[in-house]
Amino acid sequence: MAARGHVQDPNDRRLRPIYDYLDNGNNKMAIQQADKLLKKHKDLHCAKVLKAIGLQRTGKQDEAFTLAHEVATLEPTDDNSLQALTILYREMHRPELVTKLYEAAVKKVPLSEEYHSHLFMAYARVGEYKKMQQAGMALYKIVPKNPYYFWSVMSLVMQAISAQDEKLSQTMFLPLAERMVEKMVKEEKIEAEAEVQLYFMILDRLGKCVEALDVIRGPLGEKLTSELQSRESKCMMLYRKLQRWPECNSLAHKLLLKNPDDWQFYPSYFDSLFHLMDQSWSPPEDGEHCPEGSVHHTVAEVMRFVEERITGEDGKDSRSLRGPYLARLELMHRLRERGCPEERLLGDPLELMVQFFGKFGDKPCCITDLKIYLHLLCTDQHVQFINRLGEAVPLGEQGDEGLCFPEDTKALQRHLCVSQLGRALGLHHALDPDGKLRLIAQLKAHYRHGLKFGTNALKTELQFSDMYCLMAAHVYVDLWKETGDDNMVWRCLGVLQEGLTLSPSNAQFKLLLLLVYCHLGAFEPVVDLYSSLDAKHVQHDTIGFLLTRYAESLGQFAAASQSCNFSLRFFHSNQKDTSEYIIQAYKYGAFEKIPEFIALRNRLNQSLHFAQVRTERMLLDLFLEADIVLSLEESVKAMSLSPEEDDIPWDTMRDNRDLTVFTSWDPKDRELTEEHRRRSLEEETAWLRLRSLTLRLLASLASPGRAPSPQNSDTTNENGVGGGSSVLGGLLGQLQLALQTAAQIDERRTQYPFLGPPSTRLASALSSGSCQCQAAALQLSVHLQELEDVGLDESSELQTQICNGFKSLVVQLQEILNRCKGDFLEMKEGKLKTRPSLLENLVFFVETVCVVLWTASHCAKVLRPLKTSLQKKKKKKKDANTVLPAVMCGFQELTGGLQDLLTQTLEFIKGQETGITALKLAGLSLEGHTQDEEAFTKAAMDKVQSSYLRSLQEAGDLLRKRAETIKSLKI
């Protein structure tokens, strides 16, 4: 705020100290200074606004808003007040108020370029595209500069993009935008590249590809200079849209002659060839093949072209380019797909890949280049291929361990590539357990040998041999999953911890450690690991699920809250940030980026992960605070939770998870498939629906008598009474349907790859009985509502039904608790074993107890007035022996049963804590480990032990607080 530019204002000197205090975060002093100034100068509007900013930042929002409103109603036109109000409204997340400010300012100072410009940007922040168009034209009339005119044009394009009616876009907004640009073209007023880009965007959206092609190839196209080969790329895109395959082919091969390594043009070159073959295209007898030049329309011509590029590379003294060699493999793959016999003329794929490895094996990209073409090899060629590659790796003399090691980093990279390709061909997976252990020993030996090449590496640099360590960890995971031997997973953690110590910036080590710890049920070490990944911006959406999936389910409630906050902070700032990006794009004429920013905002608003963390965060807050810190009603009110409103965009929800974030060399049959992705999304959606409905039902429980909102006015019953009960009934119906869908999904028992998407909590929630018990508890509130309407005298059947419901809840909770029984961490035959499923069941028990207690609290509120009226009747009749109604007795049994259950659970947790603390991990002997390996493995075990203790402590603390609330349930 200090760098506000030069302001010609005598008051600027007086305001300067307030600005400085605000800039330095000393808000209280800023308020005091503003008060002093206002005593002397009551009409100094800017001082009032700066005081309001100080109040806003000290949490006094209402006072701040009142002060700001006082100034805003005076419609100030001084720059200081306007800028300060803009800052304040942005901090209040009220950008719509900024538009009103500048609308008033523009009316008072109609010829101000600056205020018109600010008004346009204020409209941009709130997405008022129609008003932006008008503001842009008003600005152009005052100051006829091209950028202002094209701001107006772009605002028309944005109206087209955001219009619900596609027909309206195509018949009104876009044609009008086209005419506006054509006017400038005819008057030869087009000056900048951004204006040509905008013209191209309009024509492209109108589907006028021929006209767009004329623009790109004409004199206007010469202005497209900021991107390399911008004109050519646009021409190629248009040729493909127009299906002009001869031109597409000719342009691609011309561009590949210039730069044979430019991969983006090889797919177009090959695609166009096959389209020409399908159309039986032949060149005209006279003249050029097409406007772009000669066309390669036969396989022989294309093969010759690719071979010529390779010959050119082979004959170079300098290092060869990869493009032509990969193009040959790509052509072979496409010819084989089409069943073309010419494929054989390109040579034997094994020989071609060995040749490629000979040239590029010392580059880290060699593995990713060759992996996608491994399917060209026959199964019986796999071992031969790896042996041939091994022969091309220069290794030193045989060492003490009977292994030969590379003597420089290039040889190391070649050897590493051979190991990675061996895994990708399934040779690692085919080994028996002993063979896998021998392989791990070799990988670890190569890893440790390779460390000598990175002795001077910085902490932020990776070691040259890190991938050996990662591969050894992957083979340990294979062994763990195949044999069930827990020693393998501890060794895996040990080797990864060792790798991370020597290469602290290796994200893959951190990610795999994070995953393995979560599979073992230990969340405590994961928090620091994820934090050290330093996830930036959109990564909170793409990889945030790795953290939020396990936090709550493993009993770390405080960390779960923090994890949700990580993600939510990003999602909430996205809305504000995107507006700023759009404004910058307008300022600098980057018009083609504006729709991309809007698309990014929509993608994030519709994110599955966003919906999940929002729902889970609110449920967590209720589990941790409702009826402990605040009442359930107050908690629901503080969250602005409305049972009638479902704010999750189910129909447009997007799965933005990056499910390929882990480096993997698994063969094709073990990789993540599209079917896995589809089923994972289905499962995530089903679980989210259950959680969302549970949350809305709890909100409904907290406000049962509330009148419906206007859009749900049809839920009002005949008596005009608030439709809380019918909303509750409707939600319970939806919950039953969601449970049926969930059960069907659970029956499939989909197994995902270890490095694929994690399974949701759905299967555990159903098998533990937690979902069913929560639904039964919430269903009881409907019967209680009926009892309230009918009264105690006429409701003996209903009371019996409610009493049975009470008994059933205690029985179901006991069954969930029984499924937690067992040792969470145990030592068997000198091996440490974890049982994370028991911990997950305990968390479900805790959650279900919370829901049952809230239902019980609701029951108490219904039964108290009924008991009071009953006692009044007793006094009138002077009858002291009236039997207590069944529902009252049943409720007392329920609270007693809940008290006993919680006592029993707390004793169980205490026993587990004692047992886990007593485990002597230090005395554990780990066979076949070096001293260093043993230290890293035991450190990992200590972290798991500590995490389990933390989870038990948090669960116990929460249950103790819940046990206290039972005392308030007396009627």
Side-chain angles (χ1 to χ4, degrees):
M1 210 188 292
R4 287 165 45 260
H6 182 63
V7 182
Q8 301 259 328
D9 188 341
N11 289 316
D12 194 35
R13 183 176 47 79
R14 296 174 187 139
L15 295 168
R16 174 60 47 201
I18 310 176
Y19 281 118
D20 292 339
Y21 284 131
L22 288 172
D23 283 345
N24 297 327
N26 197 341
N27 299 312
K28 285 185 180 174
M29 282 303 293
I31 295 166
Q32 284 175 22
Q33 192 69 30
D35 282 334
K36 276 185 199 172
L37 194 54
L38 285 166
K39 279 178 186 173
K40 293 179 186 173
H41 305 274
K42 289 181 181 175
D43 297 329
L44 190 49
H45 305 319
C46 187
K48 269 190 186 179
V49 184
L50 294 177
K51 180 185 175 182
I53 292 174
L55 290 167
Q56 167 71 17
R57 290 177 184 177
T58 48
K60 296 172 182 172
Q61 285 90 347
D62 293 342
E63 286 180 55
F65 186 76
T66 309
L67 258 183
H69 186 63
E70 276 177 35
V71 178
T73 47
L74 298 170
E75 299 183 350
T77 55
D78 64 294
D79 194 39
N80 278 344
S81 300
L82 289 169
Q83 292 283 9
L85 278 166
T86 302
I87 290 164
L88 176 63
Y89 287 147
R90 273 166 63 187
E91 287 185 13
M92 286 178 163
H93 306 295
R94 297 287 302 273
E96 72 282 0
L97 297 175
V98 180
T99 59
K100 292 185 175 128
L101 270 184
Y102 281 103
E103 280 168 358
V106 161
K107 276 179 192 166
K108 286 188 173 181
V109 192
L111 296 179
S112 167
E113 180 183 359
E114 187 186 356
Y115 290 173
H116 273 282
S117 171
H118 281 307
L119 178 60
F120 181 89
M121 296 310 175
Y123 286 141
R125 276 197 183 87
V126 292
E128 290 266 15
Y129 302 123
K130 174 123 181 94
K131 288 182 177 175
M132 284 164 72
Q133 179 203 340
Q134 292 162 351
M137 281 315 289
L139 195 47
Y140 181 68
K141 283 171 187 170
I142 298 165
V143 189
K145 291 180 184 173
N146 268 24
Y148 298 152
Y149 185 85
F150 283 93
W151 285 4
S152 186
V153 176
M154 185 61 212
S155 304
L156 261 174
V157 175
M158 289 312 298
Q159 285 179 70
I161 291 170
S162 59
Q164 300 294 318
D165 185 355
E166 181 63 25
K167 194 177 173 186
L168 197 63
S169 298
Q170 294 294 321
T171 56
M172 189 171 99
F173 296 127
L174 289 171
L176 180 54
E178 183 192 7
R179 284 199 298 277
M180 284 178 75
V181 182
E182 278 174 354
K183 178 176 177 284
M184 296 297 267
V185 173
K186 282 172 190 165
E187 293 172 10
E188 296 184 355
K189 286 185 180 174
I190 298 283
E191 295 168 357
E193 179 183 0
E195 294 157 17
V196 182
Q197 291 272 23
L198 181 52
Y199 191 19
F200 174 78
M201 191 202 301
I202 293 164
L203 292 171
D204 185 36
R205 286 184 178 275
L206 278 168
K208 293 189 173 183
C209 296
V210 178
E211 290 86 340
L213 201 54
D214 292 339
V215 169
I216 299 301
R217 283 160 53 181
L220 287 176
E222 290 168 14
K223 293 185 186 291
L224 300 173
T225 53
S226 64
E227 286 178 39
L228 208 61
Q229 294 176 326
S230 175
R231 288 178 85 179
E232 290 85 347
S233 300
K234 283 183 166 57
C235 280
M236 186 71 80
M237 181 186 86
L238 292 167
Y239 286 144
R240 289 181 77 97
K241 281 189 177 180
L242 290 165
Q243 297 190 353
R244 290 191 184 174
W245 303 116
E247 285 91 339
C248 190
N249 180 286
S250 180
L251 178 59
H253 96 246
K254 268 199 305 192
L255 291 165
L256 290 168
L257 276 170
K258 277 189 201 170
N259 181 4
D261 204 38
D262 197 338
W263 185 259
Q264 64 172 322
F265 298 118
Y266 279 111
S268 297
Y269 184 48
F270 297 145
D271 287 343
S272 60
L273 162 72
F274 296 124
H275 280 294
L276 291 170
M277 286 168 61
D278 292 342
Q279 293 169 5
S280 307
W281 184 89
S282 58
E285 290 176 16
D286 303 324
E288 286 282 358
H289 289 184
C290 75
E292 289 287 352
S294 61
V295 178
H296 295 168
H297 66 287
T298 64
V299 173
E301 283 176 301
V302 170
M303 284 169 66
R304 187 164 60 250
F305 177 78
V306 172
E307 293 293 352
E308 282 169 5
R309 302 288 71 70
I310 290 170
T311 309
E313 292 304 313
D314 288 342
K316 274 166 55 175
D317 294 332
S318 57
R319 180 142 199 174
S320 302
L321 300 170
R322 291 152 49 225
Y325 298 91
L326 284 172
R328 179 165 57 184
L329 290 168
E330 177 66 18
L331 182 58
M332 179 180 276
H333 155 65
R334 291 185 180 222
L335 289 169
R336 183 177 288 190
E337 254 189 346
R338 289 175 65 92
C340 296
E342 294 95 333
E343 176 225 330
R344 288 193 294 276
L345 301 175
L346 285 167
D348 177 9
L350 187 143
E351 294 299 331
L352 297 181
M353 286 198 242
V354 169
Q355 181 194 350
F356 186 88
F357 179 80
K359 282 188 172 292
F360 308 107
D362 56 358
K363 286 184 168 222
C365 58
C366 186
I367 171 67
T368 46
D369 286 346
L370 287 180
K371 191 182 174 191
I372 50 180
Y373 298 114
L374 290 176
H375 65 278
L376 296 172
L377 299 171
C378 308
T379 311
D380 51 7
Q381 286 183 308
H382 289 177
V383 177
Q384 182 197 349
F385 174 59
I386 293 300
N387 291 340
R388 286 283 303 280
L389 294 187
E391 290 163 15
V393 179
L395 296 172
E397 295 297 314
Q398 194 166 325
D400 298 339
E401 299 173 35
L403 295 171
C404 301
F405 295 109
E407 293 186 331
D408 58 36
T409 53
K410 289 195 171 183
L412 181 146
Q413 191 57 55
R414 284 183 181 277
H415 185 269
L416 179 59
C417 185
V418 176
S419 304
Q420 291 169 324
L421 286 166
R423 184 162 178 83
L425 286 167
L427 302 184
H428 290 183
H429 302 83
L431 296 169
D432 62 7
D434 289 338
K436 284 192 172 98
L437 287 170
R438 285 194 296 275
L439 170 66
I440 288 168
Q442 289 170 18
L443 290 169
K444 288 201 287 193
H446 275 280
Y447 166 62
R448 287 174 186 137
H449 172 267
L451 291 172
K452 71 177 186 183
F453 301 120
T455 46
N456 299 321
L458 299 172
K459 279 190 172 181
T460 50
E461 293 175 330
L462 306 187
Q463 291 288 339
F464 289 100
S465 57
D466 274 356
M467 285 302 181
Y468 287 119
C469 181
L470 189 64
M471 213 179 308
H474 280 199
V475 183
Y476 272 134
V477 168
D478 293 344
L479 276 167
W480 178 41
K481 288 295 169 190
E482 284 165 27
T483 63
D485 182 356
D486 281 289
N487 261 1
M488 294 302 122
V489 74
W490 296 119
R491 289 184 177 196
C492 172
L493 283 174
V495 80
L496 286 170
Q497 289 284 11
E498 179 184 355
L500 191 59
T501 308
L502 297 165
S503 190
S505 294
N506 192 313
Q508 287 300 324
F509 288 167
K510 292 173 188 177
L511 286 165
L512 192 54
L513 273 168
L514 186 151
L515 189 64
V516 173
Y517 276 126
C518 287
H519 274 267
L520 289 172
F523 190 78
E524 196 175 42
V526 167
V527 179
D528 289 338
L529 281 168
Y530 186 84
S531 184
S532 69
L533 279 169
D534 197 17
K536 292 279 193 293
H537 198 69
V538 80
Q539 286 177 315
H540 288 298
D541 188 24
T542 56
I543 64 170
F545 71 94
L546 293 169
L547 194 64
T548 53
R549 156 62 183 90
Y550 295 102
E552 186 182 348
S553 64
L554 297 177
Q556 307 257 330
F557 300 113
S561 241
Q562 192 186 347
S563 310
C564 290
N565 284 345
F566 267 150
S567 294
L568 284 174
R569 206 172 297 129
F570 158 67
F571 284 114
H572 289 144
S573 67
N574 153 58
Q575 200 75 23
K576 192 174 65 175
D577 292 348
T578 311
S579 299
E580 296 309 311
Y581 305 150
I582 291 166
I583 285 169
Q584 294 307 314
Y586 270 108
K587 277 184 184 171
Y588 296 106
F591 296 124
E592 75 279 10
K593 295 294 171 201
I594 294 171
E596 291 176 25
F597 290 139
I598 301 287
L600 173 68
R601 180 164 66 193
N602 292 340
R603 179 183 149 192
L604 294 173
N605 286 342
Q606 294 161 3
S607 161
L608 164 75
H609 183 59
F610 182 28
Q612 286 173 325
V613 289
R614 214 167 57 225
T615 306
E616 290 299 336
R617 175 62 215 268
M618 288 195 274
L619 279 169
L620 259 170
D621 283 351
L622 292 181
F623 292 138
L624 295 174
E625 294 177 2
D627 285 349
I628 296 173
V629 179
L630 301 168
S631 68
L632 179 63
E633 290 80 0
E634 287 168 329
S635 298
V636 166
K637 191 178 175 185
M639 292 177 191
S640 308
L641 245 180
S642 166
E644 299 94 349
E645 289 169 21
D646 186 359
D647 60 353
I648 296 174
W650 298 104
D651 298 331
T652 55
M653 196 146 62
R654 295 188 50 149
D655 184 3
N656 298 330
R657 293 174 299 165
D658 180 0
L659 300 178
T660 56
V661 67
F662 293 95
T663 295
S664 166
W665 306 278
D666 286 342
K668 212 159 187 62
D669 60 327
R670 287 171 179 259
E671 280 184 340
L672 186 70
T673 62
E674 280 307 312
E675 181 63 12
H676 283 135
R677 287 173 183 274
R678 189 186 63 75
R679 288 194 169 193
S680 171
L681 177 58
E682 210 176 310
E683 193 182 319
E684 293 284 356
T685 308
W687 176 241
L688 174 60
R689 204 177 281 277
L690 281 176
R691 299 293 273 183
S692 169
L693 284 167
T694 304
L695 181 64
R696 289 169 64 199
L697 277 160
L698 291 172
S700 181
L701 203 64
S703 47
R706 182 168 61 187
S709 56
Q711 66 263 40
N712 289 291
S713 52
D714 55 359
T715 57
T716 309
N717 61 28
E718 293 100 359
N719 305 322
V721 179
S725 56
S726 52
V727 169
L728 188 65
L731 289 173
L732 282 165
Q734 288 180 49
L735 183 64
Q736 289 307 323
L737 283 174
L739 280 168
Q740 287 168 20
T741 308
Q744 288 164 6
I745 289 170
D746 184 44
E747 279 169 19
R748 295 198 303 233
R749 299 278 167 189
T750 305
Q751 290 294 314
Y752 303 107
F754 183 77
L755 298 176
S759 295
T760 64
R761 299 172 68 196
L762 188 67
S764 315
L766 292 172
S767 63
S768 68
S770 165
C771 278
Q772 297 86 329
C773 184
Q774 288 181 26
L778 292 162
Q779 186 71 49
L780 262 179
S781 57
V782 174
H783 298 319
L784 261 294
Q785 214 105 43
E786 289 173 31
L787 183 68
E788 196 174 17
D789 295 339
V790 177
L792 290 172
D793 298 337
E794 310 292 324
S795 58
S796 57
E797 276 186 34
L798 184 57
Q799 287 188 50
T800 308
Q801 193 180 353
I802 292 169
C803 289
N804 291 339
F806 288 154
K807 285 174 188 165
S808 168
L809 285 181
V810 177
V811 171
Q812 287 180 66
L813 279 170
Q814 183 66 59
E815 284 172 2
I816 299 171
L817 181 58
N818 293 342
R819 292 190 181 98
C820 312
K821 299 286 175 73
D823 290 328
F824 289 17
L825 264 183
E826 58 182 348
M827 197 82 81
K828 266 191 179 176
E829 298 162 8
K831 292 180 182 178
L832 184 65
K833 187 170 181 63
T834 64
R835 295 173 74 185
S837 60
L838 297 179
L839 179 56
E840 284 204 43
N841 285 347
L842 178 63
V843 173
F844 279 126
F845 175 80
V846 172
E847 289 184 3
T848 311
V849 161
C850 292
V851 174
V852 171
L853 283 170
W854 290 324
T855 307
S857 173
H858 174 66
C859 293
K861 281 171 194 159
V862 172
L863 294 175
R864 275 183 202 122
L866 292 174
K867 190 178 181 183
T868 308
S869 64
L870 187 72
Q871 284 168 339
K872 283 177 184 172
K873 284 181 186 175
K874 274 189 197 176
K875 281 180 183 175
K876 281 181 186 175
K877 291 182 181 177
K878 297 182 179 174
D879 182 4
N881 300 320
T882 311
V883 181
L884 202 63
V887 71
M888 307 281 184
C889 302
F891 184 74
Q892 286 172 351
E893 283 175 25
L894 170 70
T895 53
L898 289 174
Q899 187 73 62
D900 293 346
L901 268 172
L902 289 184
T903 307
Q904 185 186 335
T905 311
L906 289 167
E907 280 173 12
F908 165 68
I909 288 174
K910 193 177 178 184
Q912 283 301 307
E913 286 175 329
T914 308
I916 291 172
T917 310
L919 289 175
K920 297 285 184 281
L921 300 183
L924 203 63
S925 65
L926 300 169
E927 295 170 17
H929 279 59
T930 64
Q931 200 169 352
D932 283 349
E933 284 178 338
E934 194 168 316
F936 285 118
T937 305
K938 284 190 173 169
M941 288 178 168
D942 286 340
K943 286 179 181 177
V944 171
Q945 182 186 29
S946 164
S947 180
Y948 268 84
L949 285 170
R950 174 79 172 269
S951 297
L952 286 165
Q953 183 194 339
E954 288 204 25
D957 287 348
L958 183 52
L959 286 175
R960 271 186 281 278
K961 287 174 185 170
R962 288 285 161 211
E964 286 296 310
T965 65
I966 293 179
K967 294 171 186 173
S968 66
L969 296 182
K970 289 174 182 167
I971 53 168

